[in-house]
Amino acid sequence: MKLTRVLVVAATVAAAVVVAPQAAFAIPSGTGWSGSWAYTGGTSIQVTLDVPGAKLVANGWDALGVRAFVLNVTDTVADGKCAYVKWTGAATTEHWSCGSGTTVQVTGLPSSTNALTAVLCRDSTAHDNKTNCNVIDVPSSSTDEFIRTEGNGAHWKYYDGYSGEDWGAWITIGDVNFDYFGWDDSPSGQRFIESWLTLLEPTCGSGTLLNATPASALSHCSDYNTIDGLPDTHVTGTVWGTGCTWAYRGFNPPKHCIKIRVPQPS
């Protein structure tokens, strides 16, 4: 059901809104770019990043908010360049993998209760020319244990030849999904975005695009399954969004939020 609805929206928007970009402002293709993090169990978490020619897969264990990871950094293209990762948790470390098909596994990283940020780039063999950098943020579960719920996470990807949107981004937190569907190369380098808030059980949820023009935000509580669309909007550069959930009933219930950013390909 949802896929059919999204395709109809995409076709309508493409026909009515998206026009040929001005060459001076064209956004580079994002084909091959993606990022994700998700709790695959109560104590396990996986983080991934992709750019053409480089890949990061990080598998982690979360002991009541104290997390540790093993990184696998892969150079996937024989072009004389390297895959580069900047990993920031308890400390910042840098790692490289050079040679097509070569994977470097990184163990012994310090455990951390901090939120973490991972950056994946292509780099020269001299390690002095980082390009095509992709980034992802993973919130701390030490400050909000509900983050550790299996299935919670955020991911985004560009579609290769997909009819309709160029990219999709999804936040899952408890019984709330916050979904973006974006089209790049709008005039003046803008990114046109449709957003959707889905409540799967009796609960409350809110979705916000933080740097949108016009501003885009929606908050809703429901006893039933429902889907509410946020206003269509535009963003120039990186897309920042937040999805939140809280109990439908209860006095002063706790609120849980996940933030996502979708970088602009470079």
Side-chain angles (χ1 to χ4, degrees):
M1 288 294 293
K2 186 174 182 182
L3 178 59
T4 301
R5 175 183 57 76
V6 170
L7 285 173
V8 171
V9 171
T12 302
V13 171
V17 178
V18 179
V19 298
Q22 301 174 25
F25 296 101
I27 297 173
S29 168
T31 300
W33 290 60
S34 66
S36 72
W37 68 268
Y39 276 86
T40 56
T43 59
S44 57
I45 181 173
Q46 186 175 77
V47 180
T48 69
L49 277 172
D50 288 277
V51 295
K55 184 177 185 67
L56 164 69
V57 177
N59 292 300
W61 300 265
D62 192 327
L64 301 178
V66 180
R67 298 183 297 198
F69 287 86
V70 172
L71 313 185
N72 289 281
V73 185
T74 304
D75 180 354
T76 62
V77 175
D79 60 359
K81 294 185 178 181
C82 302
Y84 162 83
V85 168
K86 181 179 180 181
W87 183 267
T88 301
T92 297
T93 59
E94 296 180 299
H95 312 278
W96 286 264
S97 176
C98 301
S100 177
T102 299
T103 297
V104 172
Q105 187 173 88
V106 183
T107 60
L109 290 169
S111 60
S112 175
T113 60
N114 299 346
L116 69 86
T117 299
V119 180
L120 175 70
C121 306
R122 296 294 283 151
D123 199 0
S124 67
T125 54
H127 300 172
D128 61 358
N129 185 24
K130 297 170 182 62
T131 59
N132 308 123
C133 293
N134 189 0
V135 61
I136 197 163
D137 312 282
V138 184
S140 170
S141 72
S142 176
T143 55
D144 183 359
E145 65 180 22
F146 185 73
I147 297 294
R148 291 195 296 273
T149 303
E150 183 175 355
N152 278 356
H155 69 284
W156 65 272
K157 67 176 292 184
Y158 271 81
Y159 294 98
D160 184 5
Y162 188 77
S163 175
E165 63 268 4
D166 291 329
W167 54 268
W170 303 268
I171 294 172
T172 300
I173 180 164
D175 295 320
V176 176
N177 289 336
F178 183 42
D179 305 334
Y180 306 96
F181 299 98
W183 295 262
D184 285 354
D185 283 344
S186 292
S188 301
Q190 290 183 326
R191 311 170 85 180
F192 180 82
I193 301 171
E194 291 267 358
S195 304
W196 300 90
L197 173 66
T198 307
L199 308 179
L200 302 175
E201 298 290 344
T203 189
C204 296
S206 64
T208 305
L209 279 168
L210 304 178
N211 59 333
T213 305
S216 182
L218 181 146
S219 185
H220 193 78
C221 295
S222 177
D223 270 328
Y224 308 100
N225 295 355
T226 185
I227 297 176
D228 290 292
L230 278 70
D232 299 345
T233 191
H234 288 83
V235 167
T236 300
T238 297
V239 176
W240 288 95
T242 299
C244 298
T245 184
W246 63 98
Y248 189 9
R249 298 179 177 86
F251 180 75
N252 215 15
K255 192 171 185 177
H256 314 286
C257 296
I258 288 175
K259 192 174 183 179
I260 192 172
R261 59 172 156 173
V262 182
Q264 183 172 304
S266 60

